[in-house]
Amino acid sequence: MTDGRLSNRTAQALPAGVAAPRYDRGAVTPGIVHLGVGAFHRAHQAAYIDECLAAGEMGWGITGVSLRSADTRDALAPQDGLYALAVRGSDGETLHVIGSIGAMLVAPEDPAAVLAVLTDPRTRIVTLTITEKAYLRAAGGGLDAAHPDIVHDLANPQTPKTAHGFLTEALARRLAAGTPPFTVLCCDNLPANGATLHRLLIEFATLRDANPGSAGKAGIAGHIAGQVAFPSSMVDRIVPATTDADRARISGELGVEDAWPVMTEPFRQWVIEDDFPAGRPAWEKFGVTMVGDVAPFEDMKLRLLNGAHSGIAYLGLLSGHATVDSAFADPAIRRFVNALWAEAIPTLPEDAGLDTSAYTAELAERFSNTALAHRTAQIANDGSQKLPQRIIASAIECLEAGTEFVHLTLVVAAWIAACAARGKTLPEGHFTDPLDTSLTALLSQQLPANETVTAVFDLAGFARDHAERQTLIELVAVHLVHLRRDGTTLAFAALGIEAEGA
């Protein structure tokens, strides 16, 4: 039975085993604006910043901005922005109340308020976790200039909808006011995420500068190209979706209601390129790795953790496993993941000093965490946006190097099969994808495997214009034939892996 709501007042009387903010939240100055305040941000960047504030770096409070939904703001506003972070391992759980988010804004409700905090001279860093699909890239990787939200933002720069529109308008206003630009720190799973966002924003700003009557006459594209820092970063922490059971349990442990606690694992990692002209927190004191080049760490994470996660998700769904730990405990899937890693590891740079053996051993332990209940359906979302950097890139490098690989292409086939299974052996809407409308229409035609895979590659832009694209399609199609004929049992058997119960 709870007594009231988590807040600044009730946080003073939490049970002794709960860690609460050890600093005066009223003395914190907002220095970071974060776009995309979802569970991952609250388990990762906000937790690191909470430690910075506790150590006395009081100029780095976070103003959170949701670009779409008011759900997080509505849950946290009555709690003064506080929430519990539940760190769950197989051996138990610890609760930390995080206080680094000082205010929450919802962009569609008040874009002017968002632009106001972005142009505030105290804002020196803007971080983003808006998911891969929100970068609005066309199939070739460039900006999707025809996207309705991009079209809107180019015509209405004062009332933007996208991250592109907000960042560009804010940087234009800062330039006009003589305020130095903030640093833009992308924390999403994009290859070279800082450089990618930099390129997309320059493309957007160039279109804006060319717009008749645009406020971009001062040449904001050139300013962004030459004067704004976009360091790349790599983030890593598994954050399953919070359930109603989690809410009830944690509220009981706190003794007050927490409308939206966050679940996570003990492991966390943040690697950042050290390029912050306007200043930054002393992140290195709190476990963040500051480097000159994040690419090797990023590739290792995308190809070994994220790539394996996608494989576990789609093969797990097709095998009837609802959670990662259940799927990874399936001997066939475990052997598959080991083989997937063996194919992907040679595509990583040899001279970067990466300890892939230790990393994959740690991943195996993380995937086996029975306390997280990380749903395979959650990981399965947005496959068309995730697979290019997680799986397709490794497969292409294997093709170019002439090395054998068969497990990477099974992940792509399993994604196609899992998409086709929705509304049949899987619940309709069990997971989603930005291409769902077109995918559903395509997969309903029940074309031969090779034609299906070719059409999917065309739709998603996989390996576009690559000389070995047809080879890749044929390899995926072979797996899809097996999956269609006898599910994962035949697909695993073709790889020399005995499925569970076979």
Side-chain angles (χ1 to χ4, degrees):
M1 196 64 184
T2 61
D3 179 21
R5 190 80 170 261
L6 179 63
S7 66
N8 286 334
R9 178 183 62 81
T10 59
Q12 305 306 310
L14 294 173
V18 178
R22 305 186 306 277
Y23 50 89
D24 178 5
R25 296 186 76 215
V28 173
T29 300
I32 298 172
V33 173
H34 182 82
L35 305 183
V37 187
F40 183 82
H41 167 69
R42 295 196 287 134
H44 193 270
Q45 297 92 17
Y48 278 105
I49 294 299
D50 192 70
E51 293 183 27
C52 293
L53 298 175
E57 293 202 46
M58 302 294 277
W60 296 106
I62 299 170
T63 299
V65 175
S66 170
L67 294 175
R68 298 293 181 193
S69 169
D71 291 351
T72 304
R73 190 276 315 274
D74 292 348
L76 298 189
Q79 301 180 181
D80 300 319
L82 296 173
Y83 61 91
L85 179 63
V87 181
R88 308 181 70 180
S90 296
D91 57 350
E93 175 182 80
T94 58
L95 296 181
H96 305 257
V97 173
I98 304 298
S100 53
I101 300 176
M104 274 285 301
L105 302 174
V106 180
E109 292 181 359
D110 194 352
V114 176
L115 288 170
V117 298
L118 288 170
T119 54
D120 186 331
R122 296 176 298 177
T123 297
R124 290 176 281 164
I125 299 173
V126 176
T127 54
L128 301 90
T129 51
I130 57 177
T131 75
E132 293 94 330
K133 61 186 175 185
Y135 289 89
L136 305 179
R137 292 170 294 161
L143 181 70
D144 182 2
H147 191 282
D149 289 349
I150 294 294
V151 173
H152 170 276
D153 284 6
L154 290 171
N156 304 278
Q158 308 296 318
T159 56
K161 293 182 177 181
T162 68
H164 314 67
F166 277 108
L167 292 173
T168 303
E169 175 64 13
L171 288 166
R173 292 186 184 189
R174 292 175 78 105
L175 177 62
T179 305
F182 44 66
T183 297
V184 182
L185 179 61
C186 179
C187 301
D188 280 300
N189 286 323
L190 302 173
N193 56 12
T196 298
L197 178 54
H198 194 195
R199 174 177 52 79
L200 291 169
L201 216 61
I202 292 169
E203 289 181 36
F204 176 86
T206 299
L207 292 173
R208 174 181 150 141
D209 283 346
N211 238 17
S214 167
K217 291 297 184 183
I220 189 60
H223 177 67
I224 291 172
Q227 302 300 319
V228 184
F230 287 76
S232 289
S233 74
M234 186 277 280
V235 298
D236 189 2
R237 197 169 209 185
I238 295 171
V239 184
T242 301
T243 66
D244 289 340
D246 292 327
R247 289 183 176 86
R249 177 177 52 78
I250 289 173
S251 294
E253 293 182 29
L254 295 174
V256 291
E257 181 188 357
D258 183 351
W260 208 333
V262 179
M263 311 297 111
T264 193
E265 62 173 334
F267 178 91
R268 65 176 186 174
Q269 186 178 26
W270 198 3
V271 184
I272 307 175
E273 290 176 350
D274 201 354
D275 183 15
F276 291 82
R280 63 168 177 83
W283 276 313
E284 63 274 17
K285 295 180 180 178
F286 310 102
V288 179
T289 304
M290 306 302 300
V291 298
D293 181 11
V294 77
F297 300 91
E298 175 188 79
D299 286 345
M300 182 168 69
K301 189 253 183 172
L302 283 169
R303 299 183 183 189
L304 302 187
L305 183 146
N306 296 127
H309 248 171
S310 290
I312 290 169
Y314 301 122
L315 292 169
L317 287 170
L318 295 172
S319 302
H321 296 292
T323 62
V324 170
D325 62 288
S326 170
F328 196 62
D330 182 328
I333 293 178
R334 174 63 185 269
R335 286 193 288 272
F336 170 83
V337 170
N338 287 339
L340 184 77
W341 284 335
E343 290 177 357
I345 285 171
T347 71
L348 299 174
E350 295 182 2
D351 57 353
L354 301 174
D355 189 344
T356 56
S357 294
Y359 188 71
T360 51
E362 193 168 48
L363 288 180
E365 183 176 344
R366 295 168 67 191
F367 293 162
S368 301
N369 186 342
T370 57
L372 277 183
H374 197 186
R375 294 173 56 246
T376 47
Q378 180 186 356
I379 300 167
N381 288 321
D382 305 332
S384 67
Q385 304 290 299
K386 295 174 178 177
L387 291 180
Q389 54 265 28
R390 297 182 177 195
I391 298 294
I392 301 294
S394 296
I396 286 174
E397 290 196 28
C398 289
L399 279 170
E400 291 174 345
T403 58
E404 291 188 8
F405 67 100
V406 288
H407 298 79
L408 288 162
T409 42
L410 177 54
V411 179
V412 183
W415 168 63
I416 296 171
C419 287
R422 291 175 300 179
K424 299 171 186 172
T425 56
L426 293 174
E428 191 164 353
H430 198 47
F431 60 90
T432 62
D433 192 279
L435 300 179
D436 268 342
T437 300
S438 300
L439 278 171
T440 301
L442 167 61
L443 296 174
S444 68
Q445 298 178 50
Q446 299 182 322
L447 299 170
N450 199 284
E451 292 181 35
T452 296
V453 175
T454 299
V456 169
F457 269 55
D458 289 343
L459 182 63
F462 293 165
R464 185 180 298 277
D465 300 325
H466 195 276
E468 297 285 357
R469 181 174 182 269
Q470 187 57 40
T471 302
L472 198 57
I473 287 172
E474 291 169 1
L475 292 170
V476 173
V478 169
H479 292 304
L480 187 58
V481 169
H482 294 151
L483 290 169
R484 284 176 167 179
R485 188 174 299 164
D486 193 24
T488 55
T489 300
L490 183 56
F492 285 141
L495 298 175
I497 296 173
E498 184 177 346
E500 190 173 38

